[in-house]
Amino acid sequence: MAEKAVSAAEFFARFPDELACLHHIQQTKYGSHTPCPRCGQFGRWTYIRGTKKFRHTCRKQISTLAGTPFYRSNISLHAVFYAILLFVNSSHGVHSSLLRKHLGLGTKTAHRLGNLIRMHMASLQPLRKLGNPSDPVAIDEVYLRYFRDNKFDALQPKILLGLAHCGQVQCGFIENRTQSELERAVSHFVHPGSRVMTDQWVGYANLRALGFRHSWVNHSEGTFYRNGVSTVEIDTCWAVFRRSLRLYGQIGAGNAWLYLAEMQLRYNFRGRPREAFEFLISNWPAVDGKAGNALRARFEWNAQNLALG
């Protein structure tokens, strides 16, 4: 049974204003569990009225939003929290026009807020090595035409590779569907000796020789299940992703990874919107101004990014 989502009434009872949101971030980032970055001691933090800062007992001042995508942003933190609620309660995504109408923002501000939230989502999804001898990894790639190169005003289709394991997915854009490209990604993200299931695309033909227990189904013949072998776990994910992309229309190719981060997190928390909301407002990994490329590399699996990872 799907988990009950956080309602608007619950949200405003818990976070009635900007200060309540600020105190929540301060408590989850520091509270009584993180020592002061200057003196290294635990102690009481006091809010400095009229700012977004707190003072430690040693007189060290910190900005609560420092190291988050929302640092030095003029967007209300209360609006940020409510926008996060809209993202997790939505089945397919939140268009910037909806943020503009709900929050009373300008068009550009609403678009920027959406991308900042997506960047926060990306920061909470580190790459993982998948697979084990008992639980299979379903692998498939899909060709998506929803992206546009704004510089040349032309469609720029992308190929998305997905790996599904134990109900969770990990996806990234790849440059092509060649054997070398697919083998590089699978070898990078799947433990050797794991059982992998794919379709009969020639790019996967050599996975057994690389040490994987490879099984396949022939989609070209209309076969999607054979003796316990199926890629339906990742194929279902593609159906959900396509619905989200149709909502957004054409997305700038440079921002494709941000939308992928959003779709992947929502899919991995499917049926658990309340848990997703708590996860997003209670975890704040460091994201400085130079973190964009590192986060982008989590969702763009070209040879250079995989080598760095």
Side-chain angles (χ1 to χ4, degrees):
M1 184 175 178
E3 180 182 77
K4 184 179 178 181
V6 177
S7 68
E10 287 180 273
F11 173 82
F12 287 112
R14 182 180 177 187
F15 299 110
D17 52 29
E18 180 95 357
L19 192 57
C21 301
L22 191 67
H23 274 283
H24 178 80
I25 297 180
Q26 173 67 21
Q27 182 63 31
T28 54
K29 286 184 68 176
Y30 296 96
S32 59
H33 52 77
T34 303
C36 171
R38 184 175 77 175
C39 68
Q41 301 296 316
F42 294 94
R44 186 167 61 89
W45 295 92
T46 305
Y47 173 64
I48 303 175
R49 185 177 299 180
T51 71
K52 294 182 179 180
K53 296 181 178 181
F54 285 77
R55 181 186 294 113
H56 190 252
T57 48
C58 72
R59 312 301 293 176
K60 168 69 176 178
Q61 295 184 14
I62 63 165
S63 175
T64 301
L65 297 181
T68 75
F70 309 101
Y71 183 50
R72 292 180 176 172
S73 172
N74 292 326
I75 302 173
S76 162
L77 193 57
H78 198 226
V80 170
F81 271 46
Y82 190 70
I84 290 175
L85 180 69
L86 294 177
F87 270 93
V88 299
N89 283 354
S90 168
S91 299
H92 308 310
V94 179
H95 200 279
S96 59
S97 62
L98 185 67
L99 292 178
R100 176 175 56 82
K101 295 172 184 176
H102 270 265
L103 303 174
L105 304 175
T107 301
K108 291 183 178 179
T109 303
H111 181 73
R112 182 169 181 269
L113 173 58
N115 281 344
L116 288 176
I117 292 174
R118 293 181 185 103
M119 182 174 288
H120 178 51
M121 291 177 170
S123 71
L124 292 169
Q125 300 179 80
L127 293 173
R128 297 171 295 125
K129 198 92 167 178
L130 308 177
N132 56 55
S134 57
D135 298 311
V137 180
I139 304 172
D140 194 23
E141 78 290 337
V142 65
Y143 188 76
L144 300 173
R145 297 181 174 85
Y146 299 91
F147 307 104
R148 176 173 289 276
D149 188 328
N150 293 327
K151 183 176 181 180
F152 299 102
D153 193 27
L155 286 176
Q156 184 177 329
K158 287 180 172 289
I159 300 172
L160 183 61
L161 177 66
L163 302 91
H165 180 244
C166 296
Q168 302 287 288
V169 299
Q170 185 166 280
C171 306
F173 294 110
I174 57 176
E175 296 179 337
N176 52 63
R177 299 170 66 216
T178 61
Q179 185 173 4
S180 60
E181 187 81 1
L182 294 172
E183 287 179 357
R184 181 187 299 115
V186 173
S187 298
H188 193 86
F189 294 115
V190 182
H191 286 293
S194 297
R195 183 186 177 197
V196 297
M197 301 185 300
T198 71
D199 58 20
Q200 205 182 14
W201 175 246
V202 65
Y204 301 114
N206 200 43
L207 291 182
R208 189 175 293 273
L210 295 178
F212 299 103
R213 297 162 54 209
H214 182 210
S215 305
W216 51 268
V217 289
N218 194 342
H219 287 176
S220 62
E221 293 180 354
T223 303
F224 293 88
Y225 180 87
R226 178 178 63 86
N227 299 327
V229 179
S230 174
T231 59
V232 68
E233 190 175 9
I234 189 64
D235 292 333
T236 303
C237 176
W238 296 155
V240 175
F241 281 15
R242 282 194 173 103
R243 285 197 291 270
S244 294
L245 291 171
R246 282 196 292 270
L247 167 73
Y248 289 126
Q250 291 183 355
I251 299 168
N255 288 334
W257 67 277
L258 289 169
Y259 287 84
L260 175 57
E262 174 203 342
M263 294 185 296
Q264 180 174 285
L265 185 138
R266 184 186 298 109
Y267 184 83
N268 286 337
F269 276 95
R270 60 195 181 281
R272 297 176 291 146
R274 185 177 294 269
E275 184 180 342
F277 181 66
E278 289 299 328
F279 179 70
L280 286 170
I281 65 171
S282 300
N283 294 277
W284 302 92
V287 179
D288 59 25
K290 299 179 181 179
N293 289 335
L295 294 179
R296 185 170 184 163
R298 296 182 182 181
F299 301 94
E300 293 188 350
W301 297 346
N302 54 46
Q304 180 180 359
N305 288 343
L306 293 184
L308 292 175

